[in-house]
Amino acid sequence: MAIILRLDRMMADRKISLNELANKVGITISNLSILKTGKAKAIRFSTLEAICRELKCQPGDILEYEE
Amino acid sequence: MIKKINLVGEKSVSSFIHNLLMIILIATVFTYSVMLIMTICGYTSVTSNKYTFISCPAGANLALLELSDINKNILTKYVFRLTMYYVPSAIIDSILIYNVSMLFENFSLNKIFIMENFRKIRLISILFIVSTILENIAVYFAAKELINLKITGMQFIPKFNLMDSNYIYGLIIIVVSEIFRRAMELKEDQELTI
């Protein structure tokens, strides 16, 4: 897919684990793992909002477009 | 108070249909095998009486008692040919019943929109159409024996049956398989939407 989620980079910057972020965002670890590994086909705005709130970043910080 | 009937999942209508189809499959295979063996034995029997009666289904024996010997032989040959030509169709039907049974087993295990079910439904539709073609071929070639049947005022003209509704049912099942495939794609999209 052309849209890539740079979640692992942001999680390393903020020094937050997968487990902790999943609990704070309110999704399961398996779903967060699907996002992290790039297997997700779509993300809800509510989930993106929750991730940006917890990681204190902009959507553009974690979403990238590659041709 | 209306009791809600479970159509899919454990202890549902699907599991009942699965079990029922397995019983029907075993009964069909057993019955057809016995009929085939009896037909071959009857055809190769030395005594003409045995030949007449063993090779025919039970109900037809009563009708045969009223016919002349020429017609008895023709009808017996017709039944023999029908039984033998039906073998490929019976094999296809058995595979079809097995696949339908396995499909309902998947439904009873809550595995509905999966690739295996889509493939099974597509196979079921193809087997259905092939079985119908084979049955019509069997009936046509067996019926050719009846041209020589001598019954006053009646003439038998065998024709290949192209207007069988089973062909339409087969096409409908192909469309259902495509709908299953689309549903599978939607399910995958929904599961991978976080």
Side-chain angles (χ1 to χ4, degrees), chain A residues 4-38:
Chain A
I4 299 162
L5 223 65
R6 295 283 184 211
L7 201 55
D8 45 355
R9 192 196 297 166
M10 197 50 67
M11 279 170 67
D13 283 348
R14 300 288 185 263
K15 293 181 180 53
I16 187 169
S17 68
L18 201 73
N19 205 359
E20 200 183 332
L21 183 62
N23 284 336
K24 284 184 177 179
V25 169
I27 60 175
T28 60
I29 296 171
S30 57
N31 279 350
L32 192 61
S33 177
I34 287 169
L35 274 175
K36 197 167 161 247
T37 54

PDB file of all heavy atoms in Angstrom, chain A residues 4-38:
ATOM      1  N   ILE A   4       1.973   4.681   4.375  1.00  0.00           N
ATOM      2  CA  ILE A   4       2.716   3.904   5.382  1.00  0.00           C
ATOM      3  C   ILE A   4       2.558   4.578   6.739  1.00  0.00           C
ATOM      4  O   ILE A   4       2.594   5.813   6.832  1.00  0.00           O
ATOM      5  CB  ILE A   4       4.214   3.817   5.010  1.00  0.00           C
ATOM      6  CG1 ILE A   4       4.352   3.119   3.660  1.00  0.00           C
ATOM      7  CG2 ILE A   4       5.016   3.090   6.087  1.00  0.00           C
ATOM      8  CD1 ILE A   4       5.666   3.351   2.992  1.00  0.00           C
ATOM      9  N   LEU A   5       2.400   3.747   7.761  1.00  0.00           N
ATOM     10  CA  LEU A   5       2.268   4.258   9.131  1.00  0.00           C
ATOM     11  C   LEU A   5       3.624   4.134   9.822  1.00  0.00           C
ATOM     12  O   LEU A   5       4.154   3.032   9.972  1.00  0.00           O
ATOM     13  CB  LEU A   5       1.229   3.396   9.873  1.00  0.00           C
ATOM     14  CG  LEU A   5       0.221   4.136  10.755  1.00  0.00           C
ATOM     15  CD1 LEU A   5      -0.661   5.015   9.929  1.00  0.00           C
ATOM     16  CD2 LEU A   5      -0.578   3.175  11.563  1.00  0.00           C
ATOM     17  N   ARG A   6       4.190   5.298  10.220  1.00  0.00           N
ATOM     18  CA  ARG A   6       5.508   5.267  10.876  1.00  0.00           C
ATOM     19  C   ARG A   6       5.305   5.250  12.390  1.00  0.00           C
ATOM     20  O   ARG A   6       5.856   6.078  13.114  1.00  0.00           O
ATOM     21  CB  ARG A   6       6.330   6.516  10.472  1.00  0.00           C
ATOM     22  CG  ARG A   6       6.671   6.551   8.999  1.00  0.00           C
ATOM     23  CD  ARG A   6       7.792   5.617   8.698  1.00  0.00           C
ATOM     24  NE  ARG A   6       8.191   5.723   7.288  1.00  0.00           N
ATOM     25  CZ  ARG A   6       8.686   4.717   6.593  1.00  0.00           C
ATOM     26  NH1 ARG A   6       8.850   3.549   7.142  1.00  0.00           N
ATOM     27  NH2 ARG A   6       9.047   4.891   5.324  1.00  0.00           N
ATOM     28  N   LEU A   7       4.521   4.310  12.851  1.00  0.00           N
ATOM     29  CA  LEU A   7       4.152   4.236  14.267  1.00  0.00           C
ATOM     30  C   LEU A   7       5.339   3.800  15.124  1.00  0.00           C
ATOM     31  O   LEU A   7       5.547   4.316  16.230  1.00  0.00           O
ATOM     32  CB  LEU A   7       3.000   3.239  14.423  1.00  0.00           C
ATOM     33  CG  LEU A   7       2.139   3.346  15.671  1.00  0.00           C
ATOM     34  CD1 LEU A   7       1.559   4.724  15.828  1.00  0.00           C
ATOM     35  CD2 LEU A   7       1.038   2.312  15.621  1.00  0.00           C
ATOM     36  N   ASP A   8       6.131   2.871  14.607  1.00  0.00           N
ATOM     37  CA  ASP A   8       7.257   2.336  15.387  1.00  0.00           C
ATOM     38  C   ASP A   8       8.287   3.437  15.690  1.00  0.00           C
ATOM     39  O   ASP A   8       8.826   3.509  16.811  1.00  0.00           O
ATOM     40  CB  ASP A   8       7.912   1.150  14.672  1.00  0.00           C
ATOM     41  CG  ASP A   8       8.123   1.410  13.186  1.00  0.00           C
ATOM     42  OD1 ASP A   8       7.670   2.466  12.705  1.00  0.00           O
ATOM     43  OD2 ASP A   8       8.720   0.559  12.513  1.00  0.00           O
ATOM     44  N   ARG A   9       8.479   4.338  14.687  1.00  0.00           N
ATOM     45  CA  ARG A   9       9.442   5.437  14.872  1.00  0.00           C
ATOM     46  C   ARG A   9       8.968   6.383  15.988  1.00  0.00           C
ATOM     47  O   ARG A   9       9.733   6.749  16.872  1.00  0.00           O
ATOM     48  CB  ARG A   9       9.585   6.209  13.567  1.00  0.00           C
ATOM     49  CG  ARG A   9      10.763   7.182  13.558  1.00  0.00           C
ATOM     50  CD  ARG A   9      10.640   8.188  12.445  1.00  0.00           C
ATOM     51  NE  ARG A   9      10.672   7.572  11.128  1.00  0.00           N
ATOM     52  CZ  ARG A   9      10.323   8.191   9.994  1.00  0.00           C
ATOM     53  NH1 ARG A   9       9.876   9.439  10.015  1.00  0.00           N
ATOM     54  NH2 ARG A   9      10.391   7.573   8.835  1.00  0.00           N
ATOM     55  N   MET A  10       7.673   6.732  15.935  1.00  0.00           N
ATOM     56  CA  MET A  10       7.101   7.661  16.915  1.00  0.00           C
ATOM     57  C   MET A  10       7.066   7.024  18.299  1.00  0.00           C
ATOM     58  O   MET A  10       7.323   7.711  19.305  1.00  0.00           O
ATOM     59  CB  MET A  10       5.691   8.075  16.463  1.00  0.00           C
ATOM     60  CG  MET A  10       5.150   9.316  17.129  1.00  0.00           C
ATOM     61  SD  MET A  10       6.226  10.744  17.125  1.00  0.00           S
ATOM     62  CE  MET A  10       6.310  11.157  15.415  1.00  0.00           C
ATOM     63  N   MET A  11       6.795   5.729  18.362  1.00  0.00           N
ATOM     64  CA  MET A  11       6.741   5.020  19.658  1.00  0.00           C
ATOM     65  C   MET A  11       8.130   4.981  20.283  1.00  0.00           C
ATOM     66  O   MET A  11       8.276   5.130  21.512  1.00  0.00           O
ATOM     67  CB  MET A  11       6.232   3.581  19.454  1.00  0.00           C
ATOM     68  CG  MET A  11       4.719   3.507  19.347  1.00  0.00           C
ATOM     69  SD  MET A  11       4.141   1.901  18.819  1.00  0.00           S
ATOM     70  CE  MET A  11       4.572   0.893  20.199  1.00  0.00           C
ATOM     71  N   ALA A  12       9.159   4.805  19.462  1.00  0.00           N
ATOM     72  CA  ALA A  12      10.545   4.796  19.957  1.00  0.00           C
ATOM     73  C   ALA A  12      10.932   6.187  20.457  1.00  0.00           C
ATOM     74  O   ALA A  12      11.580   6.328  21.508  1.00  0.00           O
ATOM     75  CB  ALA A  12      11.488   4.344  18.847  1.00  0.00           C
ATOM     76  N   ASP A  13      10.506   7.242  19.730  1.00  0.00           N
ATOM     77  CA  ASP A  13      10.805   8.632  20.145  1.00  0.00           C
ATOM     78  C   ASP A  13      10.167   8.956  21.490  1.00  0.00           C
ATOM     79  O   ASP A  13      10.767   9.611  22.350  1.00  0.00           O
ATOM     80  CB  ASP A  13      10.274   9.631  19.098  1.00  0.00           C
ATOM     81  CG  ASP A  13      11.177   9.702  17.877  1.00  0.00           C
ATOM     82  OD1 ASP A  13      12.298   9.162  17.946  1.00  0.00           O
ATOM     83  OD2 ASP A  13      10.742  10.280  16.852  1.00  0.00           O
ATOM     84  N   ARG A  14       8.928   8.509  21.657  1.00  0.00           N
ATOM     85  CA  ARG A  14       8.188   8.814  22.888  1.00  0.00           C
ATOM     86  C   ARG A  14       8.469   7.788  23.994  1.00  0.00           C
ATOM     87  O   ARG A  14       7.944   7.898  25.093  1.00  0.00           O
ATOM     88  CB  ARG A  14       6.681   8.860  22.619  1.00  0.00           C
ATOM     89  CG  ARG A  14       6.261   9.916  21.597  1.00  0.00           C
ATOM     90  CD  ARG A  14       6.371  11.336  22.152  1.00  0.00           C
ATOM     91  NE  ARG A  14       5.842  12.310  21.186  1.00  0.00           N
ATOM     92  CZ  ARG A  14       6.613  13.014  20.333  1.00  0.00           C
ATOM     93  NH1 ARG A  14       7.919  12.856  20.326  1.00  0.00           N
ATOM     94  NH2 ARG A  14       6.054  13.879  19.497  1.00  0.00           N
ATOM     95  N   LYS A  15       9.250   6.773  23.663  1.00  0.00           N
ATOM     96  CA  LYS A  15       9.618   5.700  24.599  1.00  0.00           C
ATOM     97  C   LYS A  15       8.374   5.071  25.241  1.00  0.00           C
ATOM     98  O   LYS A  15       8.240   5.005  26.470  1.00  0.00           O
ATOM     99  CB  LYS A  15      10.591   6.206  25.661  1.00  0.00           C
ATOM    100  CG  LYS A  15      11.948   6.589  25.118  1.00  0.00           C
ATOM    101  CD  LYS A  15      12.867   7.065  26.225  1.00  0.00           C
ATOM    102  CE  LYS A  15      14.247   7.456  25.722  1.00  0.00           C
ATOM    103  NZ  LYS A  15      14.240   8.424  24.607  1.00  0.00           N
ATOM    104  N   ILE A  16       7.489   4.634  24.390  1.00  0.00           N
ATOM    105  CA  ILE A  16       6.255   4.002  24.857  1.00  0.00           C
ATOM    106  C   ILE A  16       6.151   2.612  24.232  1.00  0.00           C
ATOM    107  O   ILE A  16       6.511   2.413  23.075  1.00  0.00           O
ATOM    108  CB  ILE A  16       5.007   4.880  24.535  1.00  0.00           C
ATOM    109  CG1 ILE A  16       3.740   4.315  25.179  1.00  0.00           C
ATOM    110  CG2 ILE A  16       4.816   5.042  23.045  1.00  0.00           C
ATOM    111  CD1 ILE A  16       2.546   5.258  25.122  1.00  0.00           C
ATOM    112  N   SER A  17       5.712   1.636  25.061  1.00  0.00           N
ATOM    113  CA  SER A  17       5.639   0.255  24.555  1.00  0.00           C
ATOM    114  C   SER A  17       4.302   0.030  23.835  1.00  0.00           C
ATOM    115  O   SER A  17       3.362   0.811  23.970  1.00  0.00           O
ATOM    116  CB  SER A  17       5.770  -0.734  25.705  1.00  0.00           C
ATOM    117  OG  SER A  17       4.614  -0.645  26.520  1.00  0.00           O
ATOM    118  N   LEU A  18       4.242  -1.087  23.131  1.00  0.00           N
ATOM    119  CA  LEU A  18       3.035  -1.469  22.369  1.00  0.00           C
ATOM    120  C   LEU A  18       1.853  -1.662  23.311  1.00  0.00           C
ATOM    121  O   LEU A  18       0.740  -1.169  23.072  1.00  0.00           O
ATOM    122  CB  LEU A  18       3.330  -2.767  21.610  1.00  0.00           C
ATOM    123  CG  LEU A  18       2.465  -3.091  20.405  1.00  0.00           C
ATOM    124  CD1 LEU A  18       2.816  -2.197  19.229  1.00  0.00           C
ATOM    125  CD2 LEU A  18       2.643  -4.550  19.990  1.00  0.00           C
ATOM    126  N   ASN A  19       2.144  -2.350  24.416  1.00  0.00           N
ATOM    127  CA  ASN A  19       1.117  -2.676  25.407  1.00  0.00           C
ATOM    128  C   ASN A  19       0.504  -1.401  25.999  1.00  0.00           C
ATOM    129  O   ASN A  19      -0.713  -1.238  26.093  1.00  0.00           O
ATOM    130  CB  ASN A  19       1.766  -3.505  26.521  1.00  0.00           C
ATOM    131  CG  ASN A  19       0.772  -4.374  27.246  1.00  0.00           C
ATOM    132  OD1 ASN A  19      -0.415  -4.346  26.942  1.00  0.00           O
ATOM    133  ND2 ASN A  19       1.257  -5.124  28.201  1.00  0.00           N
ATOM    134  N   GLU A  20       1.422  -0.478  26.389  1.00  0.00           N
ATOM    135  CA  GLU A  20       1.005   0.775  27.041  1.00  0.00           C
ATOM    136  C   GLU A  20       0.176   1.632  26.085  1.00  0.00           C
ATOM    137  O   GLU A  20      -0.873   2.161  26.452  1.00  0.00           O
ATOM    138  CB  GLU A  20       2.262   1.535  27.474  1.00  0.00           C
ATOM    139  CG  GLU A  20       2.025   2.588  28.556  1.00  0.00           C
ATOM    140  CD  GLU A  20       3.308   3.359  28.881  1.00  0.00           C
ATOM    141  OE1 GLU A  20       4.416   2.783  28.711  1.00  0.00           O
ATOM    142  OE2 GLU A  20       3.192   4.527  29.275  1.00  0.00           O
ATOM    143  N   LEU A  21       0.666   1.745  24.842  1.00  0.00           N
ATOM    144  CA  LEU A  21      -0.050   2.566  23.849  1.00  0.00           C
ATOM    145  C   LEU A  21      -1.419   1.972  23.542  1.00  0.00           C
ATOM    146  O   LEU A  21      -2.411   2.688  23.433  1.00  0.00           O
ATOM    147  CB  LEU A  21       0.782   2.707  22.575  1.00  0.00           C
ATOM    148  CG  LEU A  21       0.183   3.605  21.486  1.00  0.00           C
ATOM    149  CD1 LEU A  21       0.011   5.039  21.954  1.00  0.00           C
ATOM    150  CD2 LEU A  21       1.045   3.587  20.215  1.00  0.00           C
ATOM    151  N   ALA A  22      -1.482   0.652  23.409  1.00  0.00           N
ATOM    152  CA  ALA A  22      -2.758  -0.015  23.113  1.00  0.00           C
ATOM    153  C   ALA A  22      -3.779   0.267  24.215  1.00  0.00           C
ATOM    154  O   ALA A  22      -4.947   0.543  23.941  1.00  0.00           O
ATOM    155  CB  ALA A  22      -2.529  -1.509  22.959  1.00  0.00           C
ATOM    156  N   ASN A  23      -3.329   0.179  25.468  1.00  0.00           N
ATOM    157  CA  ASN A  23      -4.236   0.438  26.609  1.00  0.00           C
ATOM    158  C   ASN A  23      -4.720   1.885  26.595  1.00  0.00           C
ATOM    159  O   ASN A  23      -5.899   2.156  26.833  1.00  0.00           O
ATOM    160  CB  ASN A  23      -3.515   0.170  27.931  1.00  0.00           C
ATOM    161  CG  ASN A  23      -3.378  -1.324  28.199  1.00  0.00           C
ATOM    162  OD1 ASN A  23      -4.149  -2.119  27.681  1.00  0.00           O
ATOM    163  ND2 ASN A  23      -2.375  -1.679  28.976  1.00  0.00           N
ATOM    164  N   LYS A  24      -3.797   2.820  26.298  1.00  0.00           N
ATOM    165  CA  LYS A  24      -4.159   4.255  26.341  1.00  0.00           C
ATOM    166  C   LYS A  24      -5.098   4.615  25.180  1.00  0.00           C
ATOM    167  O   LYS A  24      -6.019   5.405  25.350  1.00  0.00           O
ATOM    168  CB  LYS A  24      -2.898   5.121  26.261  1.00  0.00           C
ATOM    169  CG  LYS A  24      -2.120   5.150  27.573  1.00  0.00           C
ATOM    170  CD  LYS A  24      -0.928   6.091  27.509  1.00  0.00           C
ATOM    171  CE  LYS A  24      -0.237   6.153  28.851  1.00  0.00           C
ATOM    172  NZ  LYS A  24       0.944   7.027  28.843  1.00  0.00           N
ATOM    173  N   VAL A  25      -4.841   4.017  24.009  1.00  0.00           N
ATOM    174  CA  VAL A  25      -5.676   4.329  22.826  1.00  0.00           C
ATOM    175  C   VAL A  25      -7.028   3.621  22.908  1.00  0.00           C
ATOM    176  O   VAL A  25      -8.028   4.109  22.389  1.00  0.00           O
ATOM    177  CB  VAL A  25      -4.916   3.941  21.532  1.00  0.00           C
ATOM    178  CG1 VAL A  25      -5.806   3.973  20.316  1.00  0.00           C
ATOM    179  CG2 VAL A  25      -3.728   4.861  21.336  1.00  0.00           C
ATOM    180  N   GLY A  26      -7.035   2.452  23.568  1.00  0.00           N
ATOM    181  CA  GLY A  26      -8.293   1.710  23.716  1.00  0.00           C
ATOM    182  C   GLY A  26      -8.523   0.688  22.619  1.00  0.00           C
ATOM    183  O   GLY A  26      -9.657   0.388  22.248  1.00  0.00           O
ATOM    184  N   ILE A  27      -7.439   0.161  22.042  1.00  0.00           N
ATOM    185  CA  ILE A  27      -7.555  -0.925  21.058  1.00  0.00           C
ATOM    186  C   ILE A  27      -6.718  -2.113  21.547  1.00  0.00           C
ATOM    187  O   ILE A  27      -5.900  -1.955  22.461  1.00  0.00           O
ATOM    188  CB  ILE A  27      -7.105  -0.486  19.635  1.00  0.00           C
ATOM    189  CG1 ILE A  27      -5.637  -0.030  19.619  1.00  0.00           C
ATOM    190  CG2 ILE A  27      -8.023   0.591  19.093  1.00  0.00           C
ATOM    191  CD1 ILE A  27      -5.109   0.288  18.237  1.00  0.00           C
ATOM    192  N   THR A  28      -6.917  -3.264  20.959  1.00  0.00           N
ATOM    193  CA  THR A  28      -6.181  -4.451  21.387  1.00  0.00           C
ATOM    194  C   THR A  28      -4.749  -4.397  20.863  1.00  0.00           C
ATOM    195  O   THR A  28      -4.444  -3.683  19.893  1.00  0.00           O
ATOM    196  CB  THR A  28      -6.846  -5.735  20.860  1.00  0.00           C
ATOM    197  OG1 THR A  28      -6.851  -5.680  19.425  1.00  0.00           O
ATOM    198  CG2 THR A  28      -8.273  -5.882  21.373  1.00  0.00           C
ATOM    199  N   ILE A  29      -3.874  -5.176  21.530  1.00  0.00           N
ATOM    200  CA  ILE A  29      -2.466  -5.224  21.105  1.00  0.00           C
ATOM    201  C   ILE A  29      -2.358  -5.782  19.689  1.00  0.00           C
ATOM    202  O   ILE A  29      -1.544  -5.318  18.886  1.00  0.00           O
ATOM    203  CB  ILE A  29      -1.632  -6.087  22.088  1.00  0.00           C
ATOM    204  CG1 ILE A  29      -1.626  -5.421  23.455  1.00  0.00           C
ATOM    205  CG2 ILE A  29      -0.221  -6.304  21.586  1.00  0.00           C
ATOM    206  CD1 ILE A  29      -1.034  -6.281  24.555  1.00  0.00           C
ATOM    207  N   SER A  30      -3.217  -6.750  19.369  1.00  0.00           N
ATOM    208  CA  SER A  30      -3.157  -7.356  18.025  1.00  0.00           C
ATOM    209  C   SER A  30      -3.521  -6.330  16.947  1.00  0.00           C
ATOM    210  O   SER A  30      -2.891  -6.282  15.894  1.00  0.00           O
ATOM    211  CB  SER A  30      -4.064  -8.576  17.935  1.00  0.00           C
ATOM    212  OG  SER A  30      -5.376  -8.223  18.260  1.00  0.00           O
ATOM    213  N   ASN A  31      -4.527  -5.481  17.236  1.00  0.00           N
ATOM    214  CA  ASN A  31      -4.905  -4.444  16.263  1.00  0.00           C
ATOM    215  C   ASN A  31      -3.790  -3.410  16.109  1.00  0.00           C
ATOM    216  O   ASN A  31      -3.508  -2.952  14.999  1.00  0.00           O
ATOM    217  CB  ASN A  31      -6.207  -3.751  16.691  1.00  0.00           C
ATOM    218  CG  ASN A  31      -7.435  -4.560  16.318  1.00  0.00           C
ATOM    219  OD1 ASN A  31      -7.330  -5.541  15.591  1.00  0.00           O
ATOM    220  ND2 ASN A  31      -8.578  -4.162  16.810  1.00  0.00           N
ATOM    221  N   LEU A  32      -3.164  -3.040  17.233  1.00  0.00           N
ATOM    222  CA  LEU A  32      -2.067  -2.071  17.170  1.00  0.00           C
ATOM    223  C   LEU A  32      -0.885  -2.663  16.416  1.00  0.00           C
ATOM    224  O   LEU A  32      -0.208  -1.978  15.644  1.00  0.00           O
ATOM    225  CB  LEU A  32      -1.648  -1.654  18.586  1.00  0.00           C
ATOM    226  CG  LEU A  32      -0.721  -0.440  18.667  1.00  0.00           C
ATOM    227  CD1 LEU A  32      -1.387   0.795  18.073  1.00  0.00           C
ATOM    228  CD2 LEU A  32      -0.315  -0.166  20.108  1.00  0.00           C
ATOM    229  N   SER A  33      -0.686  -3.953  16.604  1.00  0.00           N
ATOM    230  CA  SER A  33       0.373  -4.653  15.890  1.00  0.00           C
ATOM    231  C   SER A  33       0.097  -4.665  14.378  1.00  0.00           C
ATOM    232  O   SER A  33       1.017  -4.511  13.571  1.00  0.00           O
ATOM    233  CB  SER A  33       0.476  -6.075  16.437  1.00  0.00           C
ATOM    234  OG  SER A  33       1.442  -6.788  15.734  1.00  0.00           O
ATOM    235  N   ILE A  34      -1.168  -4.834  14.025  1.00  0.00           N
ATOM    236  CA  ILE A  34      -1.562  -4.804  12.596  1.00  0.00           C
ATOM    237  C   ILE A  34      -1.243  -3.425  12.004  1.00  0.00           C
ATOM    238  O   ILE A  34      -0.751  -3.317  10.877  1.00  0.00           O
ATOM    239  CB  ILE A  34      -3.063  -5.130  12.433  1.00  0.00           C
ATOM    240  CG1 ILE A  34      -3.316  -6.620  12.684  1.00  0.00           C
ATOM    241  CG2 ILE A  34      -3.573  -4.758  11.047  1.00  0.00           C
ATOM    242  CD1 ILE A  34      -4.783  -6.992  12.800  1.00  0.00           C
ATOM    243  N   LEU A  35      -1.491  -2.379  12.784  1.00  0.00           N
ATOM    244  CA  LEU A  35      -1.173  -1.015  12.324  1.00  0.00           C
ATOM    245  C   LEU A  35       0.326  -0.854  12.178  1.00  0.00           C
ATOM    246  O   LEU A  35       0.832  -0.321  11.192  1.00  0.00           O
ATOM    247  CB  LEU A  35      -1.672   0.009  13.353  1.00  0.00           C
ATOM    248  CG  LEU A  35      -3.122   0.486  13.258  1.00  0.00           C
ATOM    249  CD1 LEU A  35      -3.444   1.396  14.423  1.00  0.00           C
ATOM    250  CD2 LEU A  35      -3.383   1.197  11.944  1.00  0.00           C
ATOM    251  N   LYS A  36       1.042  -1.335  13.185  1.00  0.00           N
ATOM    252  CA  LYS A  36       2.501  -1.151  13.223  1.00  0.00           C
ATOM    253  C   LYS A  36       3.198  -1.881  12.076  1.00  0.00           C
ATOM    254  O   LYS A  36       4.160  -1.376  11.499  1.00  0.00           O
ATOM    255  CB  LYS A  36       3.030  -1.677  14.568  1.00  0.00           C
ATOM    256  CG  LYS A  36       4.397  -1.214  14.942  1.00  0.00           C
ATOM    257  CD  LYS A  36       4.675  -1.527  16.404  1.00  0.00           C
ATOM    258  CE  LYS A  36       6.172  -1.491  16.647  1.00  0.00           C
ATOM    259  NZ  LYS A  36       6.810  -2.725  16.979  1.00  0.00           N
ATOM    260  N   THR A  37       2.712  -3.052  11.755  1.00  0.00           N
ATOM    261  CA  THR A  37       3.350  -3.858  10.706  1.00  0.00           C
ATOM    262  C   THR A  37       2.851  -3.520   9.299  1.00  0.00           C
ATOM    263  O   THR A  37       3.291  -4.131   8.331  1.00  0.00           O
ATOM    264  CB  THR A  37       3.131  -5.358  10.963  1.00  0.00           C
ATOM    265  OG1 THR A  37       1.734  -5.586  11.114  1.00  0.00           O
ATOM    266  CG2 THR A  37       3.874  -5.822  12.194  1.00  0.00           C
ATOM    267  N   GLY A  38       1.939  -2.584   9.200  1.00  0.00           N
ATOM    268  CA  GLY A  38       1.472  -2.120   7.886  1.00  0.00           C
ATOM    269  C   GLY A  38       0.461  -3.031   7.205  1.00  0.00           C
ATOM    270  O   GLY A  38       0.246  -2.948   5.997  1.00  0.00           O
TER     271      GLY A  38
END
